[in-house]
Amino acid sequence: MASSSSTPRFSANDVTVIFFLGGPGSGKGTQSANLVRDYGFVHLSAGDLLRAEQVREGSQYGDMIKTYIREGKIVPMEVTVALLSNAMADSLATNPPPAGTKARFLIDGFPRKLDQAVFFEETVCVSELVLFLDCPEDVMESRLLKRGETSGRDDDNAESIRKRFRTFVETSMPVVDDFQKKGKVVAVKATGSVDEVYGLVKAGIEQRGVHPR
Ligand SMILES: Nc1ncnc2c1ncn2[C@@H]1O[C@H](COP(=O)(O)OP(=O)(O)O)[C@@H](O)[C@H]1O
Ligand SMILES: O=c1ccn([C@@H]2O[C@H](COP(=O)(O)OP(=O)(O)O)[C@@H](O)[C@H]2O)c(=O)[nH]1
Ligand SMILES: [Mg+2]
């Protein structure tokens, strides 16, 4: 039987996609800001896009997203992949990369499940690298509880954090392990200060040929 093959919406010849993974509170959002500043990445946080969709007037997904996020569950991938794909298209239309350069997308907090990784790479774009922040749960927990004092996020509480950790171990780490087998992972120890972690991040990606822009 002929196998069906789809062409991704964006060619890896035109855009560079780096997935940015790590447990909740490992520092993805914080380090993303550094990477945007120094490497010209467009930062797309799957969680931020879902939270924006949750409160968007007229969204049919608002209640569903709210429940999934509070329970630390993974929103059905069609929703998240559509948000990411459309955000990439919007960015390319409104803020194209300098002539002769490829647009760089840093996709933060995605893919969190193996089927999302496969679906995204088949339909949107093949990734170049996976940057992984490796951080123990006790460190992530204390960061998240502190973040919860001001974030206003209804998943930054002890009960939701426990559920998010469970989802991360059971569902998201297998994605990292799969990309590891393909030789695509740059793993960084994320327990140091923000500056220390960033130093390791920079060294890791530059070793893979990603340089400041
Ligand atoms: N290296 C670090 N040391 C101490 N606190 C950190 C560090 N990196 C991030 N934080 C803080 O920890 C919390 C979680 O970081 P964040 O970047 O939002 O992580 P993630 O996006 O992976 O959940 C934030 O309040 C952030 O300010
Ligand atoms: O691809 C994704 C990314 C996020 N989420 C949901 O959004 C929440 C928050 O994700 P975010 O990346 O913002 O959390 P962080 O890791 O930064 O704390 C997750 O727990 C999930 O419920 C999801 O369903 N699919
Ligand atoms: Mg984040």
Side-chain angles (χ1 to χ4, degrees):
M1 199 171 80
S3 66
S4 70
S5 68
S6 53
T7 307
R9 183 173 182 183
F10 306 101
S11 165
N13 296 324
D14 303 327
V15 307
T16 299
V17 165
I18 295 190
F19 292 139
F20 198 5
L21 301 179
S26 58
K28 302 179 294 297
T30 303
Q31 298 301 334
S32 291
N34 288 331
L35 289 165
V36 167
R37 183 193 61 220
D38 297 338
Y39 293 84
F41 280 104
V42 174
H43 174 230
L44 297 178
S45 158
D48 288 350
L49 289 168
L50 286 167
R51 283 183 286 274
E53 177 66 18
Q54 183 202 314
V55 298
R56 186 176 65 82
E57 194 156 343
S59 171
Q60 55 178 312
Y61 302 120
D63 292 343
M64 186 265 286
I65 291 171
K66 187 176 173 65
T67 306
Y68 272 80
I69 287 183
R70 198 187 48 236
E71 294 300 315
K73 291 193 182 147
I74 292 162
V75 172
M77 67 173 171
E78 288 74 11
V79 175
T80 314
V81 172
L83 291 170
L84 286 168
S85 180
N86 291 337
M88 287 172 68
D90 286 349
S91 170
L92 290 169
T94 58
N95 181 28
T101 64
K102 283 161 75 169
R104 286 177 167 169
F105 290 102
L106 186 63
I107 304 208
D108 162 359
F110 176 96
R112 277 175 140 93
K113 197 173 173 183
L114 266 175
D115 64 351
Q116 294 183 329
V118 172
F119 183 63
F120 185 94
E121 292 205 315
E122 278 180 5
T123 63
V124 183
C125 192
V126 175
S127 63
E128 169 96 10
L129 273 186
V130 176
L131 182 57
F132 171 59
L133 292 184
D134 192 4
C135 198
E137 278 187 10
D138 58 340
V139 173
M140 297 194 290
E141 183 188 35
S142 63
R143 288 181 186 172
L144 290 173
L145 289 171
K146 184 147 180 262
R147 187 176 74 181
E149 292 168 12
T150 53
S151 68
R153 280 177 53 166
D154 62 4
D155 60 348
D156 279 348
N157 59 77
E159 194 187 335
S160 290
I161 290 168
R162 248 191 322 277
K163 293 176 177 171
R164 292 157 72 195
F165 285 170
R166 198 185 163 115
T167 299
F168 178 70
V169 170
E170 292 180 351
T171 309
S172 303
M173 265 318 284
V175 177
V176 179
D177 295 338
D178 188 66
F179 280 122
Q180 183 87 57
K181 286 188 200 126
K182 296 175 175 151
K184 279 197 180 183
V185 175
V186 171
V188 167
K189 183 166 164 280
T191 48
S193 69
V194 171
D195 288 349
E196 282 165 356
V197 176
Y198 187 47
L200 298 172
V201 165
K202 284 198 291 194
I205 62 172
E206 294 197 15
Q207 205 165 32
R208 298 294 191 114
V210 181
H211 297 291
R213 178 188 277 181

